[in-house]
Amino acid sequence: MGYPNLVFCDKLIIINERKGRVGVLIYKQIQNTSFLLDYAGGRFLVDPAFRRMDFFGAGLGTKVSLGELLDVDAVLVTHLSDTSFDGLARQLLPRGIKIFVPSTRAVRELEKAGFSNVEVLQEHVHFQFVDLYRVPAYYGKEGEARKSEKGCGVILSHPVLNSIYLTGESVWYDGMKKTIKSWKPRLIVVQAGGVRRLDGSRLSMVHEEIAAVHLALPRAKIIANQNVWEGDRDSLRNYLYGHRMEEAVLMPKDGEEYRL
């Protein structure tokens, strides 16, 4: 059985007929830690949060239209919260859209909101032509990393394409290096900014942890999403330039798209 839309030329590429776009991988930033991902002929909406978007202005505020956000094959939720799947996203997304979530508690919450096609992301799930693998996410507390029971990371894999690693809401932990070296992903999407809960636990990476991700696989592209204020973006940008990582680590603006 072949894979649709697969073309042989100098290298294997995927043609996304939905938008007439060509590329192995297309990443498009929505806002904060939400983004669209075109991979292996499918489109995924990751951690949807629409609250600040100007839909009545045709998406001018973020350069992403509502139609584009709804034209997806599945939603990936790495952790369920008001910032990763906000009220407006729950209102606007189709009730029958396929949604993968990290826990049975998240399934119950979204089913209560009216969604009918919600599935817990198990250790391995095959969806269309993509294999989804669940990997742990950790939060930082009292100087050590502790496994999160509410969230996870995701590996997206395909037989002829390089994999993608979404770390989810996670800090660096010892097993992350092993995951990166085992899968050798073309793209790694991390959450940056060192965001903390009220109890002091840290939910996203600080600058040095992003550097550790880079050192684990220097040839991988890293996208650093940030749910923080612009001053923190400037701080990370200065760190990247100071450590000569600006070519490896991308910091997308709302609506910005990368073809990788």
Side-chain angles (χ1 to χ4, degrees):
M1 178 178 176
Y3 292 91
N5 305 330
L6 200 61
V7 177
F8 288 86
C9 45
D10 291 337
K11 59 182 179 178
L12 287 168
I13 60 176
I14 294 296
I15 299 180
N16 183 344
E17 290 182 342
R18 181 187 288 114
K19 294 296 179 182
R21 301 194 297 185
V22 178
V24 172
L25 167 63
I26 302 174
Y27 174 101
K28 188 162 188 176
Q29 181 74 8
I30 299 173
Q31 58 181 354
N32 297 335
T33 57
S34 301
F35 57 93
L36 288 166
L37 194 64
D38 285 43
Y39 178 70
R43 173 173 292 171
F44 298 89
L45 174 60
V46 182
D47 292 335
F50 301 164
R51 188 171 297 149
R52 293 193 295 107
M53 300 188 69
D54 178 18
F55 293 123
F56 295 102
L60 295 177
T62 59
K63 300 179 182 178
V64 183
S65 70
L66 178 59
E68 188 174 4
L69 291 173
L70 301 184
D71 183 21
V72 298
D73 297 296
V75 177
L76 299 180
V77 181
T78 63
H79 58 287
L80 190 61
S81 70
D82 289 339
T83 58
S84 66
F85 201 143
D86 67 12
L88 189 55
R90 299 184 192 201
Q91 178 183 343
L92 294 176
L93 286 172
R95 301 296 97 179
I97 194 169
K98 183 66 181 181
I99 305 175
F100 292 100
V101 295
S103 67
T104 55
R105 180 178 179 180
V107 171
R108 291 194 297 268
E109 183 174 336
L110 291 183
E111 286 181 342
K112 187 176 180 181
F115 293 99
S116 60
N117 194 8
V118 189
E119 179 181 343
V120 175
L121 183 63
Q122 304 294 341
E123 184 176 346
H124 175 216
V125 175
H126 186 73
F127 177 73
Q128 295 185 357
F129 299 105
V130 179
D131 289 297
L132 304 172
Y133 294 89
R134 180 190 181 114
V135 292
Y138 280 69
Y139 65 94
K141 191 170 185 179
E142 298 174 354
E144 62 182 56
R146 303 181 184 183
K147 187 175 180 180
S148 171
E149 300 301 328
K150 297 181 180 180
C152 67
V154 185
I155 298 284
L156 291 84
S157 178
H158 182 272
V160 297
L161 300 176
N162 294 110
S163 62
I164 301 169
Y165 179 18
L166 314 180
T167 68
E169 192 176 66
S170 181
V171 300
W172 172 265
Y173 61 95
D174 289 341
M176 187 174 285
K177 182 177 181 178
K178 182 178 179 181
T179 298
I180 293 171
K181 288 190 173 295
S182 296
W183 286 99
K184 296 179 175 58
R186 179 186 182 92
L187 172 68
I188 304 172
V189 182
V190 305
Q191 294 191 16
V195 176
R196 294 182 180 272
R197 291 194 185 107
L198 293 177
D199 65 1
S201 59
R202 187 163 50 81
L203 305 175
S204 61
M205 295 188 186
V206 294
H207 303 350
E208 292 78 11
E209 291 173 315
I210 297 173
V213 173
H214 170 63
L215 290 173
L217 190 66
R219 69 174 181 268
K221 283 292 185 183
I222 299 171
I223 291 180
N225 278 324
Q226 291 184 283
N227 191 11
V228 294
W229 64 295
E230 190 63 28
D232 288 327
R233 288 177 59 87
D234 292 340
S235 174
L236 177 57
R237 187 178 296 109
N238 292 336
Y239 180 88
L240 296 177
Y241 275 96
H243 291 77
R244 299 182 179 179
M245 295 193 302
E246 68 276 8
E247 295 295 327
V249 183
L250 307 174
M251 299 174 58
K253 298 178 181 178
D254 292 353
E256 191 167 4
E257 178 178 290
Y258 300 120
R259 301 185 179 214
L260 304 168

